[in-house]
Amino acid sequence: MARANAEHDRRSDLLAYSLSESRRPSDPSLLQVFTVLVIAAIHAGYFFFFVEKAAVLEASDQCGRQLILSCEALMSESK
């Protein structure tokens, strides 16, 4: 029984240590990465639930046309 209590105490100490203030990341770049990941997840969820396939296909067609026109303009300037 004493061994089980000691094991439980050790686990609770490890959990408390992992959740303590000293274990939180203090590097601001980690917070920035986490922020970007959260925003990306929200953006992906928005696309998944609210954007229709037809709108995505139309936007990709327009983007492709713009890219071709931009490449043609750059190629004609270099000649």
Side-chain angles (χ1 to χ4, degrees):
M1 183 72 177
R3 183 176 176 181
N5 286 339
E7 182 70 24
H8 181 272
D9 289 341
R10 189 176 68 117
R11 286 184 187 162
S12 62
D13 289 343
L14 285 173
L15 179 62
Y17 176 71
S18 66
L19 297 176
S20 69
E21 287 286 328
S22 63
R23 292 286 299 160
R24 290 189 183 155
S26 61
D27 188 8
S29 65
L30 291 177
L31 180 60
Q32 292 169 346
V33 168
F34 179 72
T35 303
V36 168
L37 291 176
V38 168
I39 291 171
I42 291 169
H43 187 257
Y46 174 79
F47 265 76
F48 185 75
F49 291 110
F50 299 110
V51 177
E52 294 180 4
K53 186 176 181 178
V56 172
L57 292 175
E58 181 183 340
S60 67
D61 285 343
Q62 289 179 4
C63 185
R65 284 190 209 110
Q66 295 263 338
L67 181 61
I68 290 170
L69 292 173
S70 297
C71 290
E72 287 178 351
L74 287 173
M75 288 170 40
S76 67
E77 287 178 6
S78 66
K79 289 182 179 178

